[in-house]
Amino acid sequence: MLDDSLLDDPARLAEADGAGLLRAAAMAGAQVRATSEAAAELELSERLDLGRPRCLVLVVRPGVSRSSALVLEALLAHTSPVPVVLSDLVPSWIGALDVVLAHTDDPYDHDLATSLERAARYGSTVVVSAPPDGPVASSVAGRGLLIAPRVPVPPELAFPRALAAGLLTANTLGLVVADIESLADQLDNEAEKCHLGHESFVNPAKGLALRLAEHTPMLWGLDHIAVAVGHHAGHALAAHAALVSDVADYRQAMARPALYRAALESAGNRDIFADPDDHLAEGLPPRVLLLAVRTGPAADSARARTGAALPSADVLAPADEIEADDVGRAAVLALRFELAAVYLGLAAGTVGRAGHAGPVTA
């Protein structure tokens, strides 16, 4: 059972959040600034002044490494003059003209360490966002750039650091233009709006948590970047609230007739006399959230088409609320889902010490 009353009781929320997850998630802007400072001290811009690389390889490891790589690849897809390749490990064709970027929160990831060591041996430029000790750090010692964390957060909340390391690398290589300081400010503003002291009707993360409660989230992106952010949202909801989500491009989503029909029926024809506990046997009803990051004619067209096909769906489009570029909008949307997932987990008792709802007394 979800104790939704917890969300509007700051004292109980703070008590339930014994692990400090809300505070850690709210430090997204601090993670970005600290990563930028660490990169500056490493002289990242000078040491990556190599001219245009042949290829940028994003090594995808378990955790937020995957979603940060997906978001970075999506941000670069329309602007990068060089190929961007996602791979679980460094590919066999790696060479001296390539740049390898990896993020991990596991300092003992031996497969990654071996892979990065081989890339460095073949002369590739290697940038790693990882803890400063262990086999991963040792694999690039003296032969690569290690951006170590300075703001300690749980691994499942390290997305801002992973994304910042990728953006700084891509900036230096001339593959994207991202204002890192502005990004940190946008994340700070979002964290403030979603502070636990703000009630759910003005707190966008709490409101999102309540919309998703006791439903199966259908996170359907209206653009490539939004789909990538949706994958991170799905990771956050699973990590904190034990919710399994469907993530897809909206065109692919609506090409699956049974699920599309179920989403329409759940939104428009729900039996008001049904027992709310029946979902335990039948499964959680779907709830469609349309995610939009990009702006422009193509984005407007996608939004109009899906609005007609899914009139009851929620639309989450940061451009409706903030002035920011694609990078800022993607990061803000990712943070909102992280905070919503933590709020939902605290209210459901999947994280923290909230447990189940207590008995109602008159």
Side-chain angles (χ1 to χ4, degrees), residues 63-147:
V64 300
S65 172
R66 177 176 181 270
S67 50
S68 65
L70 289 173
V71 171
L72 183 61
E73 185 274 335
L75 289 167
L76 295 175
H78 297 284
T79 60
S80 175
V82 303
V84 179
V85 176
L86 274 67
S87 178
D88 290 343
L89 294 171
V90 175
S92 59
W93 46 258
I94 204 73
L97 299 178
D98 303 314
V99 175
V100 175
L101 172 66
H103 169 86
T104 184
D105 289 289
D106 179 7
Y108 301 100
D109 186 338
H110 291 279
D111 290 338
L112 176 61
T114 301
S115 187
L116 294 178
E117 186 175 15
R118 181 167 57 83
R121 188 169 64 250
Y122 288 177
S124 301
T125 301
V126 180
V127 182
V128 186
S129 167
D133 302 308
V136 173
S138 298
S139 70
V140 297
R143 296 180 295 178
L145 296 167
L146 176 69
I147 305 176

Side-chain angles (χ1 to χ4, degrees), residues 97-320:
L97 299 178
D98 303 314
V99 175
V100 175
L101 172 66
H103 169 86
T104 184
D105 289 289
D106 179 7
Y108 301 100
D109 186 338
H110 291 279
D111 290 338
L112 176 61
T114 301
S115 187
L116 294 178
E117 186 175 15
R118 181 167 57 83
R121 188 169 64 250
Y122 288 177
S124 301
T125 301
V126 180
V127 182
V128 186
S129 167
D133 302 308
V136 173
S138 298
S139 70
V140 297
R143 296 180 295 178
L145 296 167
L146 176 69
I147 305 176
R150 294 187 171 184
V151 177
V153 297
E156 61 271 19
L157 293 173
F159 175 84
R161 172 164 60 89
L163 181 61
L167 289 171
L168 289 163
T169 301
N171 263 355
T172 302
L173 295 173
L175 307 185
V176 72
V177 177
D179 186 336
I180 301 299
E181 187 58 36
S182 175
L183 172 61
D185 290 342
Q186 293 284 358
L187 293 173
D188 285 344
N189 292 338
E190 179 67 15
E192 170 55 31
K193 288 194 294 185
C194 300
H195 188 271
L196 65 85
H198 299 322
E199 295 182 330
S200 54
F201 64 89
V202 295
N203 184 319
K206 288 183 180 180
L208 177 57
L210 290 172
R211 291 290 291 161
L212 294 176
E214 299 179 356
H215 287 80
T216 299
M218 306 283 108
L219 308 177
W220 295 350
L222 301 185
D223 56 75
H224 188 39
I225 303 172
V227 175
V229 174
H231 282 290
H232 180 64
H235 173 77
L237 289 167
H240 300 295
L243 268 185
V244 177
S245 308
D246 177 68
V247 182
D249 177 275
Y250 76 97
R251 290 159 294 198
Q252 181 67 23
M254 292 191 293
R256 299 172 296 178
L259 186 58
Y260 175 48
R261 187 163 54 249
L264 287 175
E265 292 173 353
S266 176
N269 298 314
R270 192 173 301 142
D271 183 358
I272 62 173
F273 299 107
D275 183 347
D277 291 333
D278 281 350
H279 67 71
L280 296 176
E282 298 177 0
L284 300 179
R287 171 152 283 161
V288 177
L289 282 80
L290 301 174
L291 313 182
V293 170
R294 305 200 78 199
T295 58
D300 294 340
S301 175
R303 196 160 168 177
R305 288 197 300 273
T306 52
L310 295 160
S312 300
D314 291 339
V315 178
L316 294 184
D320 294 344

